[in-house]
Amino acid sequence: MVDGGRLRLGFVGCGTIAQWHLAAARNAASRTDITATIDTDRDRAEAMAKETGAQPFTSFDDALNDDACDAVLVMVPPRFHEQLAVAALQAGKHVLLEKPMAPTLDACDRILGAAKHAPDTVFLVAENAQFWPEVVRVRELIQEGAVGDIITARAWHCLPPMPGFYDGAHWRMSSQATGGGVTIHAGLHWLRPLRMWLGEIDEVVAVTGHPFQQMEGESLCRALCRFDTGPTASFDVILSPGPTAPLPLFQVTGTTGELVVDGIGPVKHYDGADPRGTIVGQGSYLESHNAQIAAFEAAVLDGAPPAATADYSLGELRAVPAMYRSAQTHRWEPVW
Ligand SMILES: NC(=O)c1ccc[n+]([C@@H]2O[C@H](COP(=O)([O-])OP(=O)(O)OC[C@H]3O[C@@H](n4cnc5c(N)ncnc54)[C@H](O)[C@@H]3O)[C@@H](O)[C@H]2O)c1
């Protein structure tokens, strides 16, 4: 279906994250041409078309009928993910679908079902934390035995709401649009690294809160996650109405040392040699989008195996409702 060794990609949704994906495509997907820009907002579709040389559309069906692309990168609010991803898969298009795959597990099942019925297409979920350089470096170090056996870990996301993401009537403010609150938006990016390092989450206990009162869903979730490999990790995701301190984003404590992702950039190893820790990795969150789109391009054009299959993202998406249940029952809840 892909001719000439180049990928004709449609951008579906030309809002905030589309700008990040555009930069990533320019940086890292040298065999990809953006040939269609689709947004129900005509101005956005046309502005992105002007930037990329693509053909603009305000209707996804028109873009499919015109055969304007071989693959789509779906970047619309989560409540529309199912409708657009399923239509694209049924039309035989390869799909890279922004996270969360969908607001409910039932909708995820239907999307995965459509992907199974389209065996010649590539279907991946854009969870860029899978490619986050600091996270990948920590996984390598754990595998090399840098901290011995893992005792516990900590994931910390506490920031004021980002302008442009949580303003006024933005879709992120609505639980129906997203399937919850900050846990299912930002929290997923902090749960994926924990799973990459510690395995699958068996059960959780959580409290939720609403410090950012304008948002309908929870803007605070503090949870403990018990992993199938044994350790329990803490997971905090908070939209704070006031300024916050720059604490480490992740900490992995093992029997012979500790690894710390100290903000965006440095990975530090504490093995007793230097009390300030030793820098053993450097990266940047935004680079994760470069690696992600390069991997999608390689999966479609070369048949390269994905770093993570789409159904792997169900691990986070099952943990989130278990946290919501636990916040109600005040008990440990199994993840299923
Ligand atoms: N991976 C990340 O770091 C990251 C960051 C931000 C957003 N996201 C995800 O990206 C997606 C988009 O987020 P955003 O912040 O860019 O939102 P946004 O509101 O800035 O942009 C969404 C765009 O989709 C368009 N749209 C809505 N319904 C449509 C439809 N049916 N057909 C075509 N276009 C439609 C809107 O007009 C808008 O331009 C969401 O799924 C979000 O969860 C991921």
Side-chain angles (χ1 to χ4, degrees):
M1 198 186 74
V2 174
D3 297 324
R6 297 195 66 78
L7 180 61
R8 297 185 311 138
L9 181 65
F11 267 20
V12 187
C14 300
T16 309
I17 195 69
Q19 291 296 336
W20 300 13
H21 283 295
L22 174 61
R26 285 178 170 155
N27 287 336
S30 59
R31 295 178 291 157
T32 295
D33 302 309
I34 298 162
T35 54
T37 56
I38 304 142
D39 200 300
T40 45
D41 180 324
R42 180 179 300 278
D43 290 346
R44 287 189 172 187
E46 287 180 352
M48 185 60 86
K50 212 167 160 192
E51 239 181 301
T52 56
Q55 190 180 350
F57 295 89
T58 53
S59 150
F60 188 53
D61 287 344
D62 288 351
L64 293 180
N65 291 337
D66 260 32
D67 194 27
C69 51
D70 303 315
V72 288
L73 172 42
V74 178
M75 304 169 278
V76 298
R79 79 173 127 186
F80 302 117
H81 284 191
E82 178 185 358
Q83 176 199 336
L84 298 181
V86 168
L89 289 162
Q90 286 175 346
K93 306 297 177 192
H94 307 284
V95 176
L96 179 57
L97 173 61
E98 259 299 349
K99 51 52 64 178
M101 190 189 323
T104 67
L105 289 166
D106 285 348
C108 293
D109 282 347
R110 291 190 290 269
I111 297 171
L112 289 166
K116 275 203 189 85
H117 281 97
D120 297 332
T121 61
V122 170
F123 171 52
L124 296 176
V125 171
E127 177 41 83
N128 56 297
Q130 184 73 36
F131 302 92
W132 191 349
E134 297 93 304
V135 169
V136 172
R137 182 71 184 123
V138 168
R139 184 177 58 186
E140 280 168 9
L141 288 159
I142 290 170
Q143 286 168 353
E144 288 164 14
V147 292
D149 296 329
I150 296 177
I151 299 168
T152 187
R154 190 176 73 81
W156 177 257
H157 173 289
C158 181
L159 291 172
M162 259 167 76
F165 273 42
Y166 296 97
D167 304 328
H170 196 283
W171 57 262
R172 278 187 186 78
M173 309 297 268
S174 150
S175 295
Q176 205 211 345
T178 63
V182 70
T183 320
I184 199 165
H185 316 156
L188 296 188
H189 297 312
W190 267 247
L191 282 173
R192 174 64 64 95
L194 290 177
R195 292 179 60 224
M196 288 166 68
W197 303 329
L198 275 74
E200 285 309 329
I201 304 171
D202 273 347
E203 54 178 351
V204 298
V205 62
V207 290
T208 56
H210 294 79
F212 177 43
Q213 290 172 1
Q214 298 92 314
M215 194 161 92
E216 189 188 349
E218 84 290 347
S219 42
L220 173 149
C221 180
R222 308 202 76 176
L224 295 177
C225 307
R226 189 136 50 214
F227 284 81
D228 61 355
T229 50
T232 297
S234 68
F235 163 82
D236 294 281
V237 55
I238 302 162
L239 287 178
S240 171
T244 58
L247 294 183
L249 304 183
F250 298 101
Q251 204 164 349
V252 181
T253 309
T255 48
T256 62
E258 195 160 69
L259 290 164
V260 173
V261 177
D262 201 9
I264 301 289
V267 178
K268 288 187 181 165
H269 186 204
Y270 292 82
D271 61 356
D274 182 338
R276 292 162 304 179
T278 309
I279 293 181
V280 287
Q282 275 288 350
S284 158
Y285 184 74
L286 288 179
E287 286 169 27
S288 61
H289 291 279
N290 297 350
Q292 175 174 259
I293 200 154
F296 181 66
E297 181 187 81
V300 175
L301 294 180
D302 310 328
T309 57
D311 55 358
Y312 181 67
S313 64
L314 293 176
E316 292 100 63
L317 286 171
R318 289 184 179 129
V320 173
M323 289 177 193
Y324 293 162
R325 286 196 300 276
S326 173
Q328 297 294 320
T329 62
H330 299 185
R331 293 174 194 279
W332 284 92
E333 289 287 337
V335 173
W336 36 255

